[in-house]
């Protein structure tokens, strides 16, 4: 709970800053996934698509870890439910990679598009709920 420790780990200690940081990460995450969908559907070189998918996988793991750490630090009550979505999305991305490895671009494209839709719903639903929770903490902190 020490703001200095939080600052050292994630670069900020205020709930409002945490929410803004998560929003920036979501923008990057959706941009990368849109690029992957486009690369799959445009028949780009398999290696280029695989590289994009690898970047998404690494970014998602880092983003989800960061987000879950913030949820733990701010005692978010729906952490477990939220984290299950993260695990499922990482597994779904692995299925997209498997389809691409089997040269099934059509299925890989459909699954990547579905994953993008799922991610956008997750951001609009679960992540928005977490942002509101952080906002309530910030409001509570500003009212003595």
């Amino acid at each position: 709970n020490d703001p200095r420790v939080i600052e050292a780990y994630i670069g900020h200690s205020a709930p409002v800053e945490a929410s803004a940081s998560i929003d920036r990460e979501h923008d990057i995450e959706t941009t990368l996934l849109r690029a992957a969908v486009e690369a799959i559907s445009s028949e780009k070189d398999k290696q280029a698509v695989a590289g994009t998918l690898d970047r998404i996988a690494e970014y998602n793991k880092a983003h989800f870890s960061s987000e879950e750490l913030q949820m733990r630090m701010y005692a978010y009550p729906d952490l477990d439910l939220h984290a299950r979505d993260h695990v499922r999305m990482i597994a779904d991305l692995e299925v997209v990679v498997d389809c691409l490895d089997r040269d099934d671009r059509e299925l890989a494209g459909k699954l990547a598009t579905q994953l993008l839709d799922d991610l956008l719903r997750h951001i609009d639903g679960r992540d928005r709920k977490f942002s509101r929770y952080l906002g309530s903490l910030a409001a509570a902190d500003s009212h003595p």
Side-chain angles (χ1 to χ4, degrees):
N1 290 332
D2 186 326
R4 293 169 298 178
V5 174
I6 295 170
E7 188 84 25
Y9 276 96
I10 61 174
H12 50 75
S13 60
V16 170
E17 292 169 346
S19 184
S21 173
I22 290 170
D23 288 344
R24 284 189 302 275
E25 290 175 7
H26 289 151
D27 288 342
I28 294 167
E29 192 174 28
T30 56
T31 298
L32 285 171
L33 196 46
R34 281 187 178 103
V37 168
E38 173 62 30
I40 292 168
S41 66
S42 69
E43 303 277 332
K44 282 196 175 181
D45 175 73
K46 184 177 172 180
Q47 293 290 31
V49 176
T52 301
L53 292 172
D54 286 344
R55 283 191 298 281
I56 293 168
E58 292 306 312
Y59 190 84
N60 279 355
K61 289 174 187 173
H63 164 69
F64 292 156
S65 293
S66 169
E67 193 173 81
E68 289 174 25
L69 173 63
Q70 291 178 43
M71 288 178 183
R72 289 182 199 293
M73 289 191 313
Y74 294 112
Y76 184 56
D78 289 338
L79 167 65
D80 291 337
L81 188 59
H82 198 112
R84 276 194 291 260
D85 273 5
H86 292 174
V87 169
R88 183 185 46 77
M89 284 188 273
I90 289 171
D92 290 350
L93 184 58
E94 290 171 2
V95 173
V96 172
V97 170
D98 289 342
C99 287
L100 188 64
D101 287 343
R102 293 190 319 269
D103 288 325
D104 191 345
R105 280 183 177 262
E106 183 178 345
L107 183 56
K110 286 178 185 177
L111 293 175
T113 299
Q114 181 179 342
L115 180 56
L116 176 59
D117 292 343
D118 290 347
L119 176 62
L120 293 170
R121 273 193 299 279
H122 174 83
I123 291 168
D124 193 45
R126 296 207 196 282
D127 286 325
R128 183 168 289 172
K129 184 177 178 183
F130 180 50
S131 290
R132 285 192 303 266
Y133 176 78
L134 291 173
S136 71
L137 293 179
D141 285 346
S142 66
H143 293 33

